[in-house]
Amino acid sequence: MAGGGGKPFGDNVFAGHAAAGAAAISASAVAVHPLDTVKSLLQLSAAGQKQKMEIRHAVDRLMHVSGPAGLYSGIGWSILGKLPGLGARFGTYELLTAFYKDGREDNHVNYSEAMLAGITAGAVEAFVCTPFELLKLRSQVGSAIPMKATNPANVVQESFPLLSKLLPGHVPDMRVWNGSVSLLSNLSPKHPDMMGALKQHPWMLTGSGKPPLPSDVQVPSRVIALEGWGALWRGLRPGVARDCVFSGMFFSCWQFIHTAMLTWQSVNMNPEPRNLEEAGPVPPLASSLAAGFSGVVAAAASHTFDTAKSRSQCTVIPKYIAMERRFLKWRAPGMWIERVTGTSPADRNVLFRGIGLRMARSGIASFVLVGSYYLAVDQLL
């Protein structure tokens, strides 16, 4: 601590910046999570509704079901995802821009280079964050859906292990089961106990083609058991498209504003600096405002992919349906751009829902992230 001037991390620069980054990410996530929750509910409202859900309707429903605590539903998953996700985004960006600046006298990055580095950083961030965003989103949906009361069917399901294989929220339908048995009775059974084997499959017992609600499958163990490990990365394609566009626009816009502020500072300097690096650092408040404005622009440019990802992650696809699609070589509908980005053609009319909330959320989050980071670094190092 002798060389640290009484600071908590002293000369340990890496640990100090890591702690400052973690504190800044947590602060920004907590500050904007209510906006994110309401935005998600607007995006996930039914596509066929004649009257679009308004913000006050979403808030009223959330308050009625979960109270004020519902606004922070899934905050834990959000923070857990943003810590490695934003670390990967900014870390990848810094590595790529260091490569671009290598050998240059002015240590300057062009706008196109900042955009390319941001696009790559966004792809890395999407892969890291997708599982956490799926669990966060389903938790947010669960906060707006009333919990089912315990009934005899639930008690029976807990008493018999066989019934625990049922899809969440479904109960046995003996009429459908008897109908299935009668249809299969004409087949020559080669299996010694065909009826017993069929009972191991939940969709044969329920007779329902409807998948469970996402709020019923929000715990990691249930997601993996019902949908498989691959479900944790559902929505990866629209997520990659969203984060590539967001990061590319964010970093190129931020670089443009940063260069403009340094140029403005250098105008009144005497003698005039040889390059922008000699114009001095940008004040923390100005840098935070630049990040906030860049976040607003980036959110507006990438919002349609954010809606596509949210709606994709809230679609529960049991493993047996996914297996059937692979066997049948099922091809996703829509134009080629929709297939590449994972956007459903049925969602074309709802892709801009919640864009204002997301722009506000991204702007505030970026402002708080950069501002609290500078503040934390000043206190820790």
Side-chain angles (χ1 to χ4, degrees), residues 154-175:
N154 293 339
V155 176
V156 171
Q157 186 169 343
E158 294 175 359
S159 303
F160 297 94
L162 178 61
L163 299 186
S164 65
K165 294 180 177 293
L166 295 177
L167 300 180
H170 291 76
V171 295
D173 189 334
M174 296 309 298
R175 181 180 58 83

Side-chain angles (χ1 to χ4, degrees), residues 15-361:
H17 281 280
I25 291 171
S26 301
S28 64
V30 171
V32 300
H33 196 76
L35 293 175
D36 184 74
T37 301
V38 178
K39 181 267 302 181
S40 298
L41 295 179
L42 292 179
Q43 289 175 322
L44 298 172
S45 56
Q49 286 182 342
K50 294 182 179 180
Q51 185 176 3
K52 186 176 68 173
M53 178 182 286
E54 301 293 340
I55 295 177
R56 60 184 180 86
H57 296 150
V59 174
D60 290 344
R61 180 171 180 175
L62 191 66
M63 290 295 178
H64 176 72
V65 175
S66 303
L71 292 171
Y72 284 93
S73 181
I75 184 65
W77 292 118
S78 178
I79 294 175
L80 286 176
K82 287 183 181 299
L83 287 173
L86 289 178
R89 182 208 295 180
F90 285 96
T92 304
Y93 178 79
E94 290 296 330
L95 287 175
L96 292 175
T97 52
F99 173 78
Y100 290 140
K101 293 184 291 187
D102 187 28
R104 293 180 181 174
E105 181 180 356
D106 58 356
N107 202 29
H108 179 69
V109 178
N110 298 326
Y111 311 134
S112 59
E113 293 172 340
M115 177 171 286
L116 290 175
I119 291 172
T120 305
V124 176
E125 179 188 9
F127 183 81
V128 173
C129 288
T130 296
F132 300 98
E133 290 191 353
L134 180 138
L135 298 172
K136 177 207 72 173
L137 192 63
R138 294 190 177 183
S139 180
Q140 289 173 330
V141 173
S143 65
I145 298 178
M147 295 183 62
K148 298 175 183 177
T150 303
N151 53 44
N154 293 339
V155 176
V156 171
Q157 186 169 343
E158 294 175 359
S159 303
F160 297 94
L162 178 61
L163 299 186
S164 65
K165 294 180 177 293
L166 295 177
L167 300 180
H170 291 76
V171 295
D173 189 334
M174 296 309 298
R175 181 180 58 83
V176 175
W177 168 250
N178 292 331
S180 300
V181 170
S182 63
L183 289 173
L184 297 172
S185 61
N186 295 327
L187 300 177
S188 57
K190 294 183 179 180
H191 194 283
D193 185 16
M194 180 180 288
M195 296 301 109
L198 289 174
K199 287 182 180 180
Q200 303 300 316
H201 299 277
W203 59 94
M204 292 296 295
L205 282 169
T206 60
S208 173
K210 295 181 179 179
L213 296 173
S215 56
D216 294 328
V217 195
Q218 57 178 293
V219 181
S221 58
R222 270 195 166 182
V223 174
I224 295 170
L226 179 64
E227 303 177 80
W229 284 95
L232 293 175
W233 277 271
R234 180 167 298 138
L236 179 61
R237 284 186 295 165
V240 169
R242 179 199 67 180
D243 289 342
C244 286
V245 173
F246 182 92
S247 294
M249 293 295 296
F250 177 83
F251 284 114
S252 60
C253 186
W254 196 11
Q255 182 67 28
F256 175 81
I257 299 174
H258 183 78
T259 302
M261 289 189 293
L262 288 178
T263 304
W264 179 261
Q265 286 184 189
S266 64
V267 170
N268 298 322
M269 295 182 66
N270 191 14
E272 185 178 347
R274 293 177 300 175
N275 52 56
L276 292 179
E277 292 297 320
E278 295 182 359
V282 175
L285 179 59
S287 185
S288 301
L289 291 172
F293 178 79
S294 302
V296 171
V297 174
S302 61
H303 182 74
T304 55
F305 299 118
D306 181 72
T307 304
K309 180 175 183 178
S310 297
R311 297 183 72 87
S312 174
Q313 289 183 324
C314 275
T315 303
V316 179
I317 305 177
K319 288 185 285 189
Y320 70 91
I321 294 180
M323 187 182 300
E324 288 176 353
R325 289 180 176 180
R326 287 195 296 269
F327 285 157
L328 297 173
K329 297 182 179 180
W330 180 79
R331 183 183 181 185
M335 299 181 294
W336 70 268
I337 186 66
E338 292 174 327
R339 294 195 298 270
V340 169
T341 60
T343 303
S344 172
D347 297 335
R348 291 172 183 170
N349 295 330
V350 300
L351 292 178
F352 287 96
R353 284 187 182 176
I355 186 171
L357 285 174
R358 185 162 180 265
M359 290 171 64
R361 169 195 170 278

